[in-house]
Amino acid sequence: MSQFQSLVEALVILVALCASAIWLRKHRVILEEEQGVFGRLTTDFALPAVILLSLSKVPFSSQALIPAAILFVVSIGIMVPAWLIGKMMGLGRKTLGSIVLVAGFGGSSTLGLSLIRRVFNNNPLVMRDSVLIGEYGALLSVFTFGVAVAIYFGRDEGKRESLWEACRPFFTSPIFIAMILGTVISLISLPQGNVFVQLFEDILRVSGRSLIVLVAFSIGLALRPIAVRELAGLITVAVLLKLVAEPLLAWVLALSFELPHLERELLVLQSAMPSGAIAAVLAKRYGCDGAVASAMVVATAFISLVSLPLTLYLGG
C-alpha cells in the first residue's frame, strides 16, 4: 500500500472515530464534563509515551534537527502575513491575535504523530525523526513564541502575567519531560535484550497505541457548529496560510537545504497539519478571541481531510 493510500485510510479511520465520539456525546455516554479527560489523556499519557519510546528506541539524529529548525521558523514566519492581512481587514486586537495563533501553529504533536505513525507503519526511524521535527520544531515554538503572542494580543491592562509564568507549565509537563528524557536515553542508549528495558518499552508501546483513539475523541468531542457565513473571510485566510502557504514554504526551504526525501516528506506533512487545538486554548486563556480561534481550528480540520492527501501526493 502506498503512503498516499495509507494516509487516506488513516484519515477515514480518524473521521470514523470522531463520529463515534460525537455519537457517544449525543447519547450522553460521555458527559459534557468528561470531555476534557480525553484531552488530558492525550497530552499527559499517550503522547508522552509515543515521544519517549520513539526517541529512546533508536540513536539520536542531529540531522533531524535541521527540519525541526525549519518548522520552527516556518511556524513563526507565517504569523507575519497573518498579522498583515488581519490589519488590512481591520480586525480588533483580540481577533487579530487569534488568527495569528491559528495560522502559525498546527497539530503536529498530536494529530501529526498519530497519522504519521499509521502511514509509515510505526517505523522506528520515521517516528524518531517525526518526534524531533514535531516536538522541537512545532511544540517549542507554540509554548514560547506562541504564548508571547497570545499574551501580547490578549493582554488586559489590569491583568499581567510574565512570559515565564505562562510558559512554566509546559516545561514541567509530561510532554517536555518525555522529550528531554527520551533525548538523553537516545544519546546514551539502553542495553538491548535486558528484560527490564524490554518491559519498559512494551509498556510505552501499548500506551502509545491509544494515541489515535484519544486524539480522535478529543477532536470529536470538541467539535461544535460554526458560523461559516460570518467567519468566511477569517476561515479563508486561516486555510490559505495554514494549509497552503505553510507547507509550501516548508517545501521550498527543504529543497534549499537539500534535505533527504524522507525528512522533506515528514517536514511538509507536519507543516500541513490543520491548526492545533492548542492555538484556541492559548487564545482563550490569554484573552484573545477564543470563539473565533476555535471556529477556525474546526474549519481547518475539516478542510485538511482533503488538503493533507493532496499535499502528500504533490509533495511526494
Side-chain angles (χ1 to χ4, degrees):
M1 183 183 293
S2 69
Q3 290 167 359
F4 175 79
Q5 291 174 306
S6 297
L7 179 58
V8 172
E9 180 183 285
L11 288 170
V12 170
I13 292 172
L14 184 72
V15 170
L17 290 171
C18 287
S20 300
I22 294 171
W23 186 88
L24 291 171
R25 183 185 68 193
K26 181 179 179 181
H27 289 80
R28 296 187 60 77
V29 176
I30 299 176
L31 302 179
E32 198 78 26
E33 57 270 21
E34 297 172 337
Q35 295 176 19
V37 174
F38 292 90
R40 292 192 296 274
L41 284 173
T42 299
T43 57
D44 295 350
F45 173 68
L47 184 56
V50 171
I51 292 171
L52 186 53
L53 179 64
S54 299
L55 289 178
S56 62
K57 187 69 176 172
V58 290
F60 184 81
S61 169
S62 58
Q63 180 68 25
L65 294 179
I66 298 176
I70 293 175
L71 184 58
F72 189 98
V73 171
V74 167
S75 297
I76 295 173
I78 210 70
M79 292 180 172
V80 177
W83 176 76
L84 291 173
I85 294 172
K87 292 290 284 185
M88 288 188 292
M89 294 173 69
L91 300 178
R93 191 184 73 211
K94 294 182 183 295
T95 305
L96 180 60
S98 292
I99 195 168
V100 169
L101 287 168
V102 169
F105 301 119
S108 302
S109 61
T110 50
L111 179 61
L113 279 182
S114 62
L115 289 178
I116 288 173
R117 188 179 190 191
R118 181 165 184 85
V119 170
F120 291 90
N121 297 314
N122 203 23
N123 182 294
L125 294 176
V126 170
M127 289 306 300
R128 177 201 62 191
D129 288 356
S130 298
V131 167
L132 289 173
I133 294 170
E135 308 309 312
Y136 286 96
L139 210 60
L140 277 180
S141 65
V142 172
F143 284 98
T144 52
F145 201 86
V147 170
V149 167
I151 291 174
Y152 175 78
F153 285 102
R155 67 191 186 282
D156 291 323
E157 296 302 323
K159 182 180 180 181
R160 296 185 180 276
E161 184 173 20
S162 70
L163 182 59
W164 168 244
E165 288 175 335
C167 296
R168 184 169 52 189
F170 168 68
F171 292 105
T172 57
S173 68
I175 290 177
F176 185 75
I177 293 171
M179 287 167 55
I180 300 303
L181 183 58
T183 301
V184 171
I185 293 175
S186 69
L187 288 171
I188 62 176
S189 72
L190 294 175
Q192 297 301 308
N194 183 286
V195 63
F196 295 106
V197 172
Q198 188 64 49
L199 179 61
F200 172 69
E201 291 179 349
D202 287 343
I203 292 172
L204 293 177
R205 189 175 295 107
V206 172
S207 302
R209 285 172 183 162
S210 63
L211 180 61
I212 191 168
V213 176
L214 292 172
V215 167
F217 269 55
S218 298
I219 294 172
L221 294 172
L223 289 179
R224 295 292 186 275
I226 59 175
V228 176
R229 290 186 179 181
E230 292 83 348
L231 299 174
L234 292 178
I235 289 173
T236 301
V237 171
V239 167
L240 290 177
L241 290 175
K242 184 68 196 73
L243 302 182
V244 179
E246 188 167 327
L248 181 60
L249 179 57
W251 179 73
V252 170
L253 290 176
L255 290 179
S256 301
F257 281 86
E258 299 181 344
L259 292 183
H261 177 76
L262 176 60
E263 291 180 349
R264 183 173 73 243
E265 193 172 41
L266 292 175
L267 170 61
V268 172
L269 264 180
Q270 294 270 30
S271 63
M273 290 297 155
S275 301
I278 188 61
V281 171
L282 290 178
K284 184 176 181 180
R285 177 177 175 181
Y286 296 112
C288 295
D289 196 326
V292 168
S294 298
M296 289 189 287
V297 167
V298 171
T300 59
F302 274 115
I303 296 174
S304 71
L305 298 176
V306 175
S307 67
L308 274 174
L310 187 61
T311 298
L312 181 61
Y313 177 77
L314 295 176

